[in-house]
Amino acid sequence: GAVVSQHPSRVICKSGTSVKIECRSLDFQATTMFWYRQFPKQSLMLMATSNEGSKATYEQGVEKDKFLINHASLTLSTLTVTSAHPEDSSFYICSAESEGPANYEQYFGPGTRLTVT
Amino acid sequence: AQKVTQAQTEISVVEKEDVTLDCVYETRDTTYYLFWYKQPPSGELVFLIRRNSFDEQNEISGRYSWNFQKSTSSFNFTITASQVVDSAVYFCALSEVFIQGAQKLVFGQGTRLTINP
């Protein structure tokens, strides 16, 4: 089956620094990737939709200048949390979409746990 | 707007009991997909099932079964003869289908299922 990886799996950073999270589709090309955020004991909330070669589409309430998304190739999307603050501590999950035999299939990465101190 | 409601925040049962997780959704689309995901403590989302809006047949996969009823906008999930390994948070999700196939997922709040030995 299709595999999506995320790196790093865990990261701790100091307040005010920036953190980059990578999302890779390992064995398929993904025109579209999604970024979700999950606070403890809460649901997943879509942050943005990332399309290869174009600007990401952000959901309402998500600061595009704070959460920079770059989808530079069909296998890689990155999320950079700029000037991170403790309230940005969360579990970030990406997903990648490929065209499968039964319409478009979406595959999730294992997630990145960000802790901002 | 699309919405998924999982009214049961937490469920706790004794091993070998059957348990049903409820999911009610709202959408104005005539074409949509419904999903169930399992999220164990590790955090990685495990895909369980996808059902499109035109297929109301119930599905059984081992101890898992799903009941899709468009008349009540429900997509319930039953685990038969539950096991301790079934303990996890379960999410129901709904997606709309865009022209290019990209599927934005809207997740329910999740149901934390605990199976006690």
Side-chain angles (χ1 to χ4, degrees):
Chain A
V3 178
V4 175
S5 70
Q6 278 185 244
H7 178 79
S9 57
R10 289 178 177 269
V11 57
I12 301 173
C13 70
K14 292 187 176 180
S15 188
T17 62
S18 295
V19 174
K20 180 185 283 188
I21 302 170
E22 293 185 350
C23 176
R24 292 181 184 274
S25 55
L26 297 185
D27 49 2
F28 66 98
Q29 293 185 330
T31 306
T32 303
M33 290 184 173
F34 301 90
W35 287 95
Y36 296 84
R37 179 168 55 183
Q38 184 181 28
F39 291 111
K41 296 192 175 183
Q42 293 190 26
S43 187
L44 284 79
M45 298 297 294
L46 179 66
M47 298 176 67
T49 303
S50 166
N51 292 297
E52 186 266 339
S54 62
K55 291 184 178 180
T57 303
Y58 290 82
E59 295 299 302
Q60 194 171 12
V62 177
E63 300 174 59
K64 59 181 67 176
D65 293 332
K66 180 170 184 61
F67 298 99
L68 301 179
I69 292 173
N70 186 337
H71 194 155
S73 76
L74 287 172
T75 59
L76 173 64
S77 176
T78 60
L79 167 68
T80 301
V81 183
T82 62
S83 187
H85 290 287
E87 56 265 32
D88 298 323
S89 298
S90 187
F91 192 53
Y92 292 86
I93 306 174
C94 74
S95 69
E97 191 170 84
S98 75
E99 188 171 359
N103 212 323
Y104 290 82
E105 304 281 352
Q106 191 169 146
Y107 303 95
F108 283 86
T112 296
R113 195 165 301 280
L114 170 63
T115 303
V116 184
T117 61
Chain B
Q2 297 189 323
K3 185 179 179 182
V4 176
T5 301
Q6 294 178 255
Q8 304 149 309
T9 305
E10 294 191 26
I11 299 176
S12 181
V13 300
V14 177
E15 198 172 20
K16 297 184 182 177
E17 286 186 17
D18 298 346
V19 57
T20 295
L21 282 61
D22 298 332
C23 173
V24 175
Y25 63 92
E26 295 176 29
T27 180
R28 293 180 181 175
D29 295 331
T30 55
T31 302
Y32 52 88
Y33 289 94
L34 293 164
F35 302 79
W36 274 96
Y37 289 91
K38 174 182 180 180
Q39 188 177 42
S42 65
E44 185 163 0
L45 282 178
V46 178
F47 169 82
L48 296 178
I49 190 171
R50 181 177 80 169
R51 173 67 75 219
N52 76 52
S53 52
F54 297 110
D55 183 1
E56 283 194 76
Q57 279 193 339
N58 291 331
E59 175 102 6
I60 298 176
S61 176
R63 296 185 295 109
Y64 296 170
S65 62
W66 292 268
N67 185 330
F68 176 26
Q69 292 197 348
K70 287 180 75 171
S71 61
T72 55
S73 297
S74 66
F75 187 44
N76 296 337
F77 171 35
T78 297
I79 301 175
T80 304
S82 60
Q83 299 176 2
V84 173
V85 294
D86 295 327
S87 297
V89 180
Y90 290 86
F91 290 99
C92 179
L94 167 71
S95 81
E96 52 189 25
V97 181
F98 296 128
I99 296 175
Q100 291 83 13
Q103 299 178 346
K104 286 174 56 173
L105 289 177
V106 174
F107 285 84
Q109 302 90 324
T111 297
R112 182 175 300 276
L113 176 64
T114 303
I115 310 298
N116 299 299

